[in-house]
Amino acid sequence: MTDSLAWFGAANPARRVGRAVEHHAEIGSTNDRARELLSSPDGEGVAVVADLQTAGRGRRGRTWVSPAGVNLMVSVALRPDVPPELSSLLGLCVALALRSACSSVAPSAGLGIRWPNDLVDGLGRKVAGVLIETVLADGRLAEAVIGMGINANWQQEEMPPEIAAQATSLLELAGSPVDRVDLLGHLLDALDGEIQALERGESPIERARAVSWLDRHEVEVDLGEQVLAGRVAGLGDDGSLLLDAAEGRLALAMGEVVRVMDAAPARVSS
Ligand code: BTN
């Protein structure tokens, strides 16, 4: 287990994202703690990292499972000043930052982004997930709590079977253990850069398109009230999933890819 002092090595006061690091051996959810910090004077941008979450959350109300001291679980809360037309692209910025950090330890894994913002290896197995909880005011992003979970040093045989079938880890991909503090430092550098670019009005969409894993796959997308089948045609300018379905080309702003017909089963949680 990495001690609290070592985690401070990933902090950098020159950055807005991760200018300080707060480490917890155990916590409910790092997202909740990061949100709490936003109401204290210096809390914006503090990276909250935990060895164990007792109430870790995934997207769509799912649980995020991770054994103690093995993976990287971190949240940062921000009041970003993002042009409203770019706010739907925040998730892709986070996924690109995750890709940059994870590619630094597993450069030949062919890491890609699976819409909306999962990080997957070349075979579509999940390496990292993103949970962003936002507050909107007058159509603008007022607050964003950005939670990231990376399967870092999780051995495939230690994963619960339902996760092992659809996930992998940097340890498996790189063939050796990952230094989680170094990984966090790289992630915070990359995320800081992505947020700054978005605030300057620069869209990440072309960079996201270049690494979009779902393109050309036949998929099923759960929209809550119906499941749509179709072929993925790419990403729209706003980060939506372009799906060629029986109805024609659709731009899906929300939804969950629950099946990829011509690949390993789509991983929906870890
Ligand atoms: C998903 O893929 O469903 C999103 C998973 C996000 C998990 C991370 S771990 C750190 C942060 N705290 C949480 O409770 N969730 C996120």
Side-chain angles (χ1 to χ4, degrees), residues 29-31 53 56-59 64 74-75 126 129-130 147-149:
S29 162
T30 53
N31 265 33
Q53 293 186 123
R57 292 193 292 278
R59 283 199 315 272
W64 184 261
V74 57
S75 301
K126 187 157 172 169
V130 178
M148 297 156 283

Side-chain angles (χ1 to χ4, degrees), residues 43-86:
E44 189 190 9
V46 173
V48 179
V49 61
D51 275 310
L52 178 68
Q53 293 186 123
T54 53
R57 292 193 292 278
R59 283 199 315 272
R60 294 165 75 93
R62 290 186 295 259
T63 305
W64 184 261
V65 176
S66 174
V70 168
N71 295 320
L72 180 59
M73 294 174 284
V74 57
S75 301
V76 180
L78 298 171
R79 290 193 190 86
D81 185 15
V82 174
E85 68 279 9
L86 295 185

